[in-house]
Amino acid sequence: MGRLIAIGDIHGRLSKLEGLIDKIAPQENDQIIFLGDYIDRGPESYQVVEYVKKFKKLFKLTLTLRGNHEDFVVSLFKGNMSQYLRNIWLEDNGGKLTLSSYKKAGHFLKIHQDFFMSLPVYYETEKYIFCHAGVRPGIPLNKQKMSDLLEIREPFLSSEQNFGKIIVHGHTMVNSPEILFNRINIDTGAGHYGPLTAIELPSLKIWQQM
Ligand SMILES: [Mn+2]
């Protein structure tokens, strides 16, 4: 087994992803875990998904988790996205930029439907639980609601509880990686003006790309 490395929210920033992967220089036996939010906000959502799909083919141990932004698209495909939610996604959450990135590339979102639909919501190892947003304190992992794993902020973020395993997550932007006894947050706002962050576990080695 090689290195275990988690990568935070990318949000359509291809150059940050490419630069970060160059720095990490992944090897065949490394396991890279993407924490979700590949799309929205940045200008290159289509290209980021293409990159991640190719990366998975090259590095077979790679895992790509679902973020709340991919979940918007999944509900779009399932046909159960309300008009209200659709507007929030398009106007407030960067969905319009995602659609235009696909359009410019000459594709519909549907070209990546299988990818979006296949993304698991969490992944567990002996020491860690990887998920996009976090967990609801006091509830066992197998009883967690999908909406919490994808969207929770409080009371997770200020919880002093030991979750049994360290939760490695993104979703809530921080200025620099947050490494606490019970959780690790590596969403450093790549979708806006922050860098994209990766962390190696258990060494806590960090890579960033602006
Ligand atoms: Mn995000």
Side-chain angles (χ1 to χ4, degrees):
M1 181 71 188
R3 300 172 295 174
L4 176 63
I5 296 169
I7 296 182
D9 303 39
I10 303 164
H11 285 302
R13 304 285 177 174
L14 182 67
S15 63
K16 292 183 187 182
L17 178 57
E18 286 174 334
L20 187 75
I21 296 294
D22 280 353
K23 286 177 180 169
I24 295 171
Q27 306 292 309
E28 207 184 334
N29 58 351
D30 291 337
Q31 181 164 42
I32 310 281
I33 299 173
F34 289 91
L35 297 175
D37 279 7
Y38 312 94
I39 60 168
D40 294 347
R41 300 210 172 105
E44 292 165 315
S45 290
Y46 167 80
Q47 289 82 354
V48 167
V49 174
E50 278 291 298
Y51 185 100
V52 170
K53 283 183 66 185
K54 282 183 192 141
F55 187 87
K56 267 179 110 167
K57 278 194 184 151
L58 225 49
F59 300 98
K60 308 276 186 209
L61 300 175
T62 302
L63 283 166
T64 48
L65 297 182
R66 186 188 301 196
N68 60 315
H69 286 260
E70 286 74 51
D71 202 54
F72 279 122
V73 174
V74 168
S75 24
L76 200 65
F77 287 135
K78 286 186 175 165
N80 58 11
M81 193 188 227
S82 65
Q83 192 60 46
Y84 173 73
L85 207 61
R86 196 187 154 86
N87 284 338
I88 289 181
W89 175 57
L90 288 172
E91 305 296 336
D92 303 337
N93 284 334
K96 264 190 178 165
L97 276 166
T98 297
L99 292 183
S100 76
S101 130
Y102 277 78
K103 199 173 172 191
K104 275 185 211 153
H107 295 290
F108 293 107
L109 260 185
K110 211 169 164 50
I111 194 169
H112 290 151
Q113 178 165 356
D114 291 349
F115 174 79
F116 288 121
M117 304 280 276
S118 72
L119 305 173
V121 175
Y122 69 85
Y123 176 67
E124 192 178 8
T125 65
E126 205 188 316
K127 288 186 183 153
Y128 304 99
I129 293 166
F130 298 86
C131 59
H132 181 63
V135 297
R136 186 157 296 272
I139 297 182
L141 184 61
N142 60 0
K143 297 261 168 64
Q144 291 284 332
K145 278 190 195 161
M146 189 155 126
S147 57
D148 282 332
L149 294 162
L150 293 175
E151 290 167 29
I152 198 166
R153 296 190 207 272
E154 294 300 346
F156 167 66
L157 296 172
S158 48
S159 175
E160 302 276 328
Q161 190 179 315
N162 184 331
F163 302 114
K165 299 183 180 192
I166 297 171
I167 315 289
V168 183
H169 68 98
H171 185 61
T172 299
M173 263 195 285
V174 281
N175 289 328
S176 54
E178 201 175 15
I179 299 169
L180 305 175
F181 86 99
N182 58 353
R183 63 179 182 86
I184 294 172
N185 178 5
I186 55 167
D187 177 9
T188 45
H192 297 282
Y193 299 102
L196 179 62
T197 296
I199 191 165
E200 184 188 349
L201 300 163
S203 74
L204 304 178
K205 175 172 180 173
I206 282 172
W207 297 267
Q208 292 193 305
Q209 179 66 40
M210 236 358 217

